[in-house]
Amino acid sequence: MRIEASTPAETEAAGARLARRLGPGDVVLVSGELGVGKTTFVRGACRELGVSEAVTSPTFTIGQVYGGRVEVAHLDLYRLASLDGEDPALLDDYLTPDRIAFIEWPAAAEPRLERVRANVRMEHLGGDRRAIEIDGP
Amino acid sequence: MILGIETSCDDTCAAVVTRAGEIRSNVVASQGLLHERYGGVVPEIASRRHLELIDAVIADALERAGASLDDVREVAVTRGPGLIGALLVGLSAAKALAAARGLPLTPVDHLHGHVVASTLGPDPIEPPYLCLVASGGHTFIARVDDLRAHRRLGGTLDDAAGEAFDKGARILGLGYPGGPAIDRLARAGDPEAFPFPRAAPGELDFSFSGVKTALLYAVRDLGEREAERRKADLAASYQSAIVEALVARTRTAVEREGIERLAIGGGVAANSLLRERIAQAAGELGLRLWVPDFSLCTDNAAMIAGAARFGEPIAHPGYLALDAAARLEAAA
């Protein structure tokens, strides 16, 4: 499915729509350039899943876990060039079967990720317009 | 004396601070160079380096303070937020030291450490005051009525200011850490060359995601050669957009809260434009401003030991089960 969004609210709505089709254990990869709205997309999904706290960029801590109707893990592997030399348990701490997980900048971990339910690719179309390509449920 | 330990991100820190707030030592072993090669912090490498460095850093802090473990009455340690593996190294070291001597241990919220950093030294700030904390992982304005806790008035809805500097530097091809690189380059540039947006979500909140996108588009529209030629203007305009947003929100907070004391903290407080503009705003508003020494703005253990003076020590052995927390709820 391909959606065009021209406001952050529309990007959030696209995230919310996907979230309605997700269940515990599902992993969603969200990729796209800096500033394309990945965190905004995840924020929309989190709101739909009942998360009320602030959903901010997890670049600094690599991962955050929010409490909602179901727990949501929000990861950002931007600072990880690759997971070579990393402790494989780094991601396992976040990606548990009872959580829905969103992973921004997933490339570093992609080969070893399981339970990937959706792949979201976001692209700048110039100005405020974004293309959101969702490969999933 | 209080021994402070801080390992929430990529610096291994230990410090000795007296109950009166005198800093006897403040040691930081930075992993900056190590991470520069990777373009950022690598959690597993950060944890391993903390483990290698922590004992030496603590010994160094004691030695520079002219003290021994016999002089330490309390151990303070960062419990979160931060990288979980990194936090655990400091927490475990703190527990082991405290338990071996039957000392009390005080867990400290890293962010509260930044907020109360200006209570250290010969001219301590006193409540009520406001504090702008801007770092790589956090950006918020807090109100302090009582040094035991702070109340968050507003904060970033997406990226932290330091993160915006890092990512902007990456877009401009300047490397890591981005803040100092942009600060240096911006001195040769025109801050009004590019009209980057100053997002204004909510009254006291920040958003730095839009300005990052605007920089990306500007670089793309200029093309590689032209962007390279105008790099200093891009850096200056980008820095100005971030700093003006920080200063504008802080001004609003000061006016709304009617408080006459202001402090800044966090690594971004080292930015020369922010220092200049916040001092100017403080002058215009008739505020007293506390800008801690650079060594107290970036991550450090003195602010952790300092914050422990207002915290609740846990008696031995109650803290042995204490766990690190990647994310703490904002202090109430």
Side-chain angles (χ1 to χ4, degrees):
Chain A
M1 185 178 40
R2 185 186 159 95
I3 302 163
E4 273 195 35
S6 43
T7 63
E10 287 175 21
T11 300
E12 286 196 16
R17 242 185 335 264
L18 172 63
R20 288 197 281 275
R21 301 187 175 89
L22 300 173
D26 285 349
V27 173
V28 178
L29 311 184
V30 188
S31 36
E33 267 185 275
L34 279 173
V36 78
K38 296 181 292 298
T39 300
T40 306
F41 182 90
V42 176
R43 183 180 305 121
C46 286
R47 293 286 173 260
E48 181 66 28
L49 295 168
V51 175
S52 56
E53 62 195 292
V55 175
T56 55
S57 164
T59 299
F60 172 72
T61 50
I62 311 297
Q64 286 162 189
V65 177
Y66 311 115
R69 282 191 297 282
V70 49
E71 274 197 334
V72 182
H74 182 192
L75 285 94
D76 180 334
L77 310 184
Y78 176 79
R79 302 206 279 180
L80 275 59
S82 84
L83 286 184
D84 294 345
E86 285 288 340
D87 179 354
L90 175 71
L91 298 182
D92 296 348
D93 289 345
Y94 296 99
L95 309 180
T96 61
D98 54 334
R99 288 180 186 149
I100 294 177
F102 293 87
I103 308 182
E104 299 186 31
W105 300 97
E110 221 157 337
R112 67 167 74 166
L113 287 173
E114 290 165 9
R115 302 195 310 261
V116 175
R117 182 103 162 97
N119 226 310
V120 180
R121 291 182 200 84
M122 303 180 67
E123 214 182 307
H124 290 283
L125 294 178
D128 292 330
R129 289 169 51 242
R130 313 279 197 269
I132 305 172
E133 182 93 43
I134 301 177
D135 189 3
Chain B
M1 281 188 266
I2 305 171
L3 171 67
I5 297 172
E6 144 73 40
T7 59
S8 66
C9 192
D10 58 348
D11 293 329
T12 314
C13 318
V16 175
V17 168
T18 67
R19 237 174 223 278
E22 185 197 335
I23 301 169
R24 291 287 175 84
S25 67
N26 189 15
V27 177
V28 177
S30 177
Q31 302 189 15
L33 283 174
L34 190 65
H35 295 303
E36 203 169 340
R37 275 188 275 146
Y38 297 91
V41 177
V42 184
E44 180 61 16
I45 294 178
S47 309
R48 274 201 296 263
R49 285 294 285 168
H50 282 308
L51 205 52
E52 288 164 19
L53 292 167
I54 189 78
D55 288 343
V57 168
I58 291 171
D60 195 22
L62 287 168
E63 193 185 317
R64 285 177 197 228
S68 76
L69 272 179
D70 297 334
D71 303 308
V72 175
R73 293 280 169 273
E74 180 182 340
V75 178
V77 65
T78 305
R79 189 180 170 216
L83 302 171
I84 199 82
L87 287 164
L88 279 171
V89 175
L91 187 63
S92 307
K95 281 186 198 173
L97 265 178
R101 304 226 155 206
L103 295 173
L105 181 141
T106 308
V108 174
D109 170 1
H110 176 82
L111 300 179
H112 196 57
H114 280 303
V115 170
V116 300
S118 290
T119 62
L120 291 167
D123 178 28
I125 195 169
E126 282 172 22
Y129 69 90
L130 296 187
C131 185
L132 166 69
V133 175
S135 68
H138 310 280
T139 297
F140 63 98
I141 299 172
R143 176 180 171 128
V144 179
D145 289 293
D146 171 326
L147 292 169
R148 284 177 297 186
H150 62 268
R151 186 158 60 87
R152 197 184 175 99
L153 301 177
T156 184
L157 301 180
D158 38 53
D159 298 358
E163 178 181 351
F165 274 114
D166 276 339
K167 289 185 172 169
R170 194 158 185 172
I171 292 170
L172 292 172
L174 298 178
Y176 176 90
I182 288 185
D183 195 348
R184 263 193 311 277
L185 186 61
R187 281 174 212 154
D190 173 7
E192 285 169 17
F194 296 89
F196 290 140
R198 286 127 169 89
E203 196 189 7
L204 294 177
D205 290 327
F206 302 96
S207 167
F208 295 111
S209 177
V211 66
K212 183 180 69 185
T213 310
L215 175 67
L216 183 76
Y217 283 164
V219 167
R220 185 176 296 172
D221 292 347
L222 288 169
E224 209 171 309
R225 268 186 59 190
E226 193 60 11
E228 184 61 34
R229 197 179 69 78
R230 303 201 58 192
K231 216 163 162 175
D233 285 345
L234 286 163
S237 301
Y238 185 69
Q239 169 175 268
S240 170
I242 296 171
V243 166
E244 294 311 329
L246 292 171
V247 173
R249 290 322 212 209
T250 306
R251 282 186 87 116
T252 306
V254 163
E255 283 166 353
R256 198 186 80 177
E257 302 290 314
I259 284 183
E260 289 166 1
R261 286 189 280 257
L262 174 67
I264 61 173
V268 178
N271 179 274
S272 57
L273 182 68
L274 178 63
R275 286 183 173 232
E276 181 191 317
R277 298 284 293 117
I278 205 99
Q280 196 182 334
E284 284 164 20
L285 295 169
L287 305 176
R288 253 204 88 189
L289 174 68
W290 276 258
V291 181
D293 186 72
F294 181 54
S295 62
L296 290 173
C297 287
T298 48
D299 287 350
N300 68 88
M303 70 179 191
I304 300 304
R309 293 177 300 149
F310 319 115
E312 283 172 32
I314 304 172
H316 178 258
Y319 45 78
L320 291 176
L322 192 68
D323 213 351
R327 216 163 183 242
L328 297 175
E329 287 311 306

